Amino acid sequence: MGLFMPFNLLRGRRIGAIAIWVSIALVVLSGSQVQSGSDYLVGLGSYDITGPAADVNLMGYTNTYQIASGIHFRLRARSIVAEPQGNRVVFVNLDACMASQIVTIKVIERLRARYGDLYTENNVAISGIHTHAGPGGYLQYVVYIVTSLGFVRQSFDALVDGIEKSIIQAHQNLRPGKILINKGEILDAGVNRSPSAYLNNPAAERSKYKHNVDTEMTLLKFVDDGWGPVGSFNWFATHGTSMSRTNSLISGDNKGAAARFMEDWFQQNVNRSSSSEENEAEGVPRRVSNIIPTIQNNHHELLELAASFHSSPGRPATRTLNVARRVRGVLRQADKPQFVSAFCQSNCGDVSPNVLGAFCIDTGKPCDFNHSTCGGKNELCYGRGPGYPDEFESTRIIGERQFKKAVDLFKGASEQINGKVDYRHTYIDFSQLEVTLSKQDGGSEAVKTCPAAMGFALAAGTTDGPGAFDFKQGDDEGNPFWRLVRNFLKTPGEEQKNCHNPKPILLDTGEMTKPYDWAPSILPVQILRIGQLVILSVPGEFTTMAGRRLRDAVKMVLTSGGNKEFNGNVHVVIAGLTNTYSQYVTTLEEYQVQRYEGASTLYGPHTLSAYIQEFQKLAHALIGGQPVVPGIFQPPDLLDKQISFLMPVVADATPFGVKFGDTSSDVPKNSTFMRGDTVTAVFWSACPRNDLMTEGTFALVEMLQGGDTWFPAYDDDDFCLRFKWSRPSKLSTRSHATIEWRIPVSATPGVYRLRHFGAAKAFLGSIHHFSGSSSAFVVA
């Protein structure tokens, strides 16, 4: 959504930036002769990157009060590997706000140690979906970790471990297969949240497009020669801000939800007839409880059966028990690769999923068009999602719209990817890059980018997450009071102010280096090619028109001069928030307006021109078969300099006579619930940071099969089940876990119970695992 702003420490605000943690790695592999007539070797992988579900600030809105306290559904890293003729590329999609330079550095180090030079920074791309509901603290620059109280090692480790394991899975799953591509439009999953800035682009340019946002989804379908379809990855631009700045549950937002829906849709189709498969595509998939034989629907008998199962007291559990009870672990076939679907981010800079528009919360009227204010106040202007006022419903709807289009494209994909796999990568110092601009008279002009700086309008936030105080979007002047505050940190010089004009500088981050760098200056630019698909890996959030200009400029290089490489058929997509994070990129015209996105364009008015120049150089090298000479620039490794003020978990405790896992508030005995109802149980618990339950679950819905066997039906990776954690006060050793199950309309009638898994820390530091369950109840 945006960038992190220390001023929001004073009051919660949204940073539209990252996000990040679900990983999608895509590698196209083929060194020796490929068998079965296939053009590629294809492998996919997926691994849990959820991270700490308590005490850690969520990344994206820069709201200091937005602290994780549970899980909406888990985050994953998804990967693809493919290769023909010796070249490989890897694309990793993270259910996270954005990629992180230090995460990328450490992942590459691990891959080098394991595979040598097979996977390097040149052919590995790591991209974030931009959810604003993932744990923060995993980036290495000061400005991005202020609200998380510095660096959070658990967030960082979860990402690095998960990305590495997803790539390892993809590598090990490499088998002969083919890749298909398809495209289609989604007209109701995004609106432009800064339309006044978009309108400042030339009218002739705007007239070439029907919409002020990109509506096209590009999808790759991966087909194993033996197993058939094994996955899909798609790129579509919309922000991960369906979940609001007040949400405290970890969530993959709309793109993470779409990935869950599609993976479950495919998994369930394997076990059903083709007729039911067609019906499934009409909505969000049914859950896996459908594989359990339906119990005879005699309500009286079911109630009697449920009454015999009271809540079980808390009891010790093994670390592996919650992993073994995972729903998707039960369904997975050991000898067949799991289906992996990733919904990747593109040029989402000015695209909001809150498609109903922005309204004033005090009057209900539309916000001011130019400044997104209500009576001059930005705090009152909020975008509304399609499920307003229910943000969970908005997330489901926008996720479902992307999911449905992806299913259509997946089923209809017929254009086969063919040709070489290739890549180009380099590091550029964007703080002082000379850029040559073409002039209308045929001449040229030399300009330069600037050391990073943030404008006043950044602190105003956006309609997805407003800022605070007297900031507003479209401010090209600033005010004296906040200049005094700024000067206390760093006063920008005249050269820096002139370079960023008309942006009034609020934070001169590019020239702030205490205790270490506040913002990046060395950025990666990267092109991946898989046949006729070209992926532009950009380390930021391009606006709609900025992305269009970049794609067109690269496509012109790839198809100009009689180049036969693509035979006139090339698909160019932008993968946003990739490999590192450097905030926004607007057009020169949008920059003049100084909306949030313009104020967050770090390197001055010519930032987009710099990207276009450098990507065109890589494109020329790509089609010319020329290597890119390694530059003198390398991004810094600041891991050893990181500072953290997040307090560790000291100990967990329960009242006298109560065990961890006991119910504090049980499901009422002899209860019957209808589909659509919500069932809730509260357990005595412990801090989720003691064990992240990676590839496991904190919460479970179990269904009775036969007379005495409990079968896992839903877990904390399901959209309908919410795990909420709380403590009575910040320093309390006591805590509760609340499990809420919103019974899906497709749930199988029968006897169910809720179950909680956790891990408690003793005063001496030892960790012990526990579980407990609620009383049984009937779903009719």
Side-chain angles (χ1 to χ4, degrees), residues 620-679:
H620 279 294
L622 186 75
I623 62 172
Q626 301 299 316
V628 175
V629 179
I632 61 173
F633 304 111
Q634 288 289 324
D637 181 342
L638 303 176
L639 186 59
D640 292 339
K641 296 185 177 182
Q642 297 301 311
I643 300 171
S644 177
F645 296 100
L646 180 66
M647 294 294 294
V649 179
V650 177
D652 299 287
T654 59
F656 180 76
V658 174
K659 295 188 289 293
F660 291 106
D662 284 357
T663 54
S664 170
S665 176
D666 198 4
V667 177
K669 293 179 174 57
N670 301 317
S671 293
T672 298
F673 296 91
M674 306 303 292
R675 283 167 283 191
D677 291 344
T678 298
V679 185

Side-chain angles (χ1 to χ4, degrees), residues 254-266:
N254 57 70
K255 285 190 177 290
R260 296 299 180 287
F261 298 159
M262 189 152 184
E263 288 175 349
D264 287 345
W265 165 81
F266 183 86

Side-chain angles (χ1 to χ4, degrees), residues 430-745:
F430 270 74
S431 69
Q432 50 186 356
L433 180 62
E434 187 168 301
V435 182
T436 301
L437 302 179
S438 298
K439 301 176 70 173
Q440 290 185 343
D441 61 6
S444 62
E445 176 187 6
V447 296
K448 295 187 73 172
T449 57
C450 325
M454 303 176 187
F456 273 70
L458 176 141
T462 72
T463 56
D464 290 337
F469 307 110
D470 51 353
F471 295 102
K472 66 180 180 179
Q473 295 193 69
D475 182 0
D476 58 3
E477 295 181 1
N479 67 57
F481 173 76
W482 288 111
R483 284 197 184 91
L484 286 175
V485 176
R486 172 201 67 189
N487 293 343
F488 179 77
L489 295 171
K490 171 71 172 64
T491 304
E494 288 302 313
E495 182 179 357
Q496 175 76 326
K497 288 191 286 188
N498 291 334
C499 188
H500 281 272
N501 186 61
K503 178 203 295 177
I505 296 175
L506 177 62
L507 280 179
D508 190 10
T509 53
E511 298 180 321
M512 298 167 69
T513 58
K514 302 295 182 182
Y516 46 87
D517 293 352
W518 279 55
S521 59
I522 310 299
L523 301 180
V525 290
Q526 179 189 54
I527 293 181
L528 304 181
R529 176 190 174 183
I530 304 167
Q532 61 266 38
L533 175 71
V534 173
I535 303 171
L536 309 181
S537 301
V538 299
E541 303 173 59
F542 278 56
T543 61
T544 299
M545 194 64 84
R548 289 167 174 170
R549 290 185 188 178
L550 177 62
R551 286 197 305 262
D552 288 348
V554 171
K555 189 172 184 177
M556 183 173 62
V557 171
L558 298 176
T559 58
S560 64
N563 174 43
K564 305 295 185 183
E565 187 76 20
F566 294 97
N567 295 319
N569 182 26
V570 59
H571 306 278
V572 181
V573 298
I574 288 175
L577 307 118
T578 300
N579 294 328
T580 190
Y581 183 66
S582 60
Q583 295 170 232
Y584 283 77
V585 181
T586 64
T587 66
L588 177 64
E589 294 84 357
E590 291 166 348
Y591 187 89
Q592 308 306 310
V593 178
Q594 281 298 294
R595 294 274 299 196
Y596 177 86
E597 295 80 13
S600 304
T601 297
L602 288 187
Y603 307 104
H606 303 296
T607 300
L608 174 60
S609 297
Y611 273 108
I612 290 175
Q613 172 181 282
E614 298 309 311
F615 269 103
Q616 284 185 316
K617 290 180 182 177
L618 291 187
H620 279 294
L622 186 75
I623 62 172
Q626 301 299 316
V628 175
V629 179
I632 61 173
F633 304 111
Q634 288 289 324
D637 181 342
L638 303 176
L639 186 59
D640 292 339
K641 296 185 177 182
Q642 297 301 311
I643 300 171
S644 177
F645 296 100
L646 180 66
M647 294 294 294
V649 179
V650 177
D652 299 287
T654 59
F656 180 76
V658 174
K659 295 188 289 293
F660 291 106
D662 284 357
T663 54
S664 170
S665 176
D666 198 4
V667 177
K669 293 179 174 57
N670 301 317
S671 293
T672 298
F673 296 91
M674 306 303 292
R675 283 167 283 191
D677 291 344
T678 298
V679 185
T680 302
V682 182
F683 299 84
W684 287 99
S685 190
C687 184
R689 291 165 59 199
N690 295 324
D691 189 322
L692 305 183
M693 302 299 181
T694 301
E695 290 291 351
T697 183
F698 288 102
L700 192 65
V701 176
E702 295 181 315
M703 183 179 184
L704 189 64
Q705 184 178 16
D708 57 1
T709 302
W710 291 99
F711 195 91
Y714 302 86
D715 60 23
D716 68 13
D717 205 14
D718 278 295
F719 198 90
C720 64
L721 187 65
R722 300 175 195 171
F723 163 67
K724 300 180 177 180
W725 179 82
S726 62
R727 54 162 72 98
S729 64
K730 196 167 187 178
L731 299 179
S732 176
T733 58
R734 298 178 181 179
S735 63
H736 286 105
T738 300
I739 298 177
E740 292 181 358
W741 182 36
R742 285 159 174 76
I743 306 172
V745 295

